[in-house]
Amino acid sequence: MHALAFVLGSLLLFSGVEYRNNTLFFPGFQATNMITAELEAKTGVRLRFIIDKNIPMSVNYIEKTAGRVLDNDIVILLDTGKRKLYRFQGKNTEGLLENAFFSFVLENELLGPAPGLTGKKVESAAAILAKHISAKKGVPLLCLRNIYVKPVDSLFYRITEMWLFKPFVRAFYGNMLLFLSIFPVITWFIFVKLPETFSGEEAAATGKTAWKLFLFVIFCVIITRVSTDFNALAGTIAAALVMYMPFVAIAAAVFKEEIRSITIKFFGWED
């Protein structure tokens, strides 16, 4: 038993993710360790994640956790107590990750609305950063062939992070059911009811058209973001939908009049 603990401790110490003594246990870092190990072997860059609670940011803490010689290191410290991030790049790694890109990935994947537990979030951040670094070095990583790397640099993902759409995406991830139930009602009040109150029925009709267009755009943005974040589960979700499709068809047939009535009353699609 002591030998097993020693072996596990040794593997953990030299892996890409390190737990501190006062940190809760987070499972699911096997893929992260595989990514960081291949990245270091092929590029010489050591990507490390240190997870702790209430991190005291000091030279003493950095030396104890990350070490003294960090020329080839990229260190990310995740404070699970304060929900804060700290990052460090050694002198040989400073040009590999631009500050804006580095911050964007960490804040979205580790502290933002990315799906999954801590292990999955760290894995996603590690995969994105490792792919970016390996591309800069011109060395492909074999381990990334079987790991979904979120395309955060893609046009569609960037659109979901624009200042115009970002609040709605974050609100959706904050509470999906609450968002879907309240958002259409609030926006209907803003686009339709208020113009009708102050400017009459003609303004309300124009507002209703604008409201439908606005809902369509926002829902397209959210669907794009969700499909990107949950791409690794797309196959499972598709299989589940196929399995439950008969139940959906039966429900639609049984309650078709109720569904039609509610749709007409809520969206005004009768005419």
Side-chain angles (χ1 to χ4, degrees), residues 12 17-21 23-29 49-52:
L12 188 60
V17 181
E18 182 180 345
Y19 308 99
R20 304 308 301 165
N21 293 330
T23 303
L24 295 173
F25 176 70
F26 293 111
F29 287 115
F49 293 85
I50 296 175
I51 302 175
D52 202 349

Side-chain angles (χ1 to χ4, degrees), residues 148-161:
Y148 175 61
V149 183
K150 197 179 297 184
V152 296
D153 273 341
S154 67
L155 173 63
F156 293 110
Y157 192 94
R158 288 287 183 176
I159 288 175
T160 66
E161 278 295 309

Side-chain angles (χ1 to χ4, degrees), residues 8-141:
L8 290 176
S10 300
L11 289 174
L12 188 60
L13 181 63
F14 292 104
S15 68
V17 181
E18 182 180 345
Y19 308 99
R20 304 308 301 165
N21 293 330
N22 64 338
T23 303
L24 295 173
F25 176 70
F26 293 111
F29 287 115
Q30 293 87 349
T32 304
N33 296 333
M34 181 174 61
I35 293 168
T36 55
E38 186 176 355
L39 180 69
E40 184 177 5
K42 290 187 173 180
T43 67
V45 177
R46 192 178 183 195
L47 179 63
R48 304 170 64 188
F49 293 85
I50 296 175
I51 302 175
D52 202 349
K53 289 197 299 183
N54 304 316
I55 295 175
M57 280 310 298
S58 63
V59 175
N60 186 43
Y61 180 84
I62 292 292
E63 289 181 350
K64 282 185 176 180
T65 54
R68 292 175 180 271
V69 182
L70 302 172
D71 292 349
N72 298 319
D73 286 41
I74 296 175
V75 184
I76 296 116
L77 298 101
L78 174 60
D79 189 327
T80 57
K82 301 175 184 175
R83 280 188 56 80
K84 286 187 176 181
L85 281 168
Y86 306 95
R87 56 191 175 90
F88 173 85
Q89 290 180 254
K91 67 178 183 180
N92 296 334
T93 65
E94 288 181 352
L96 295 176
L97 295 170
E98 302 81 4
N99 286 332
F101 176 79
F102 200 180
S103 299
F104 176 76
V105 172
L106 295 183
E107 289 172 8
N108 278 276
E109 298 306 303
L110 298 181
L111 297 182
L117 300 174
T118 300
K120 281 295 180 183
K121 291 186 175 185
V122 172
E123 176 189 322
S124 180
I128 295 169
L129 295 176
K131 183 177 181 180
H132 192 80
I133 294 168
S134 63
K136 280 281 187 74
K137 292 280 190 178
V139 180
L141 300 182

Side-chain angles (χ1 to χ4, degrees), residues 233-251:
L233 302 176
T236 304
I237 294 171
L241 288 175
V242 170
M243 289 175 61
Y244 287 98
M245 192 58 70
F247 298 101
V248 175
I250 292 170

Side-chain angles (χ1 to χ4, degrees), residues 155-162 164-166 168-169 172-173 179-180 183 211-229:
L155 173 63
F156 293 110
Y157 192 94
R158 288 287 183 176
I159 288 175
T160 66
E161 278 295 309
M162 290 175 60
L164 182 63
F165 304 122
K166 188 174 182 177
F168 301 110
V169 173
F172 174 78
Y173 274 117
F179 179 87
L180 291 175
F183 177 70
W211 172 64
K212 292 176 181 178
L213 178 62
F214 178 74
L215 279 185
F216 177 76
V217 171
I218 294 299
F219 285 162
C220 283
V221 169
I222 289 175
I223 289 170
T224 300
R225 179 60 177 266
V226 171
S227 65
T228 303
D229 286 338

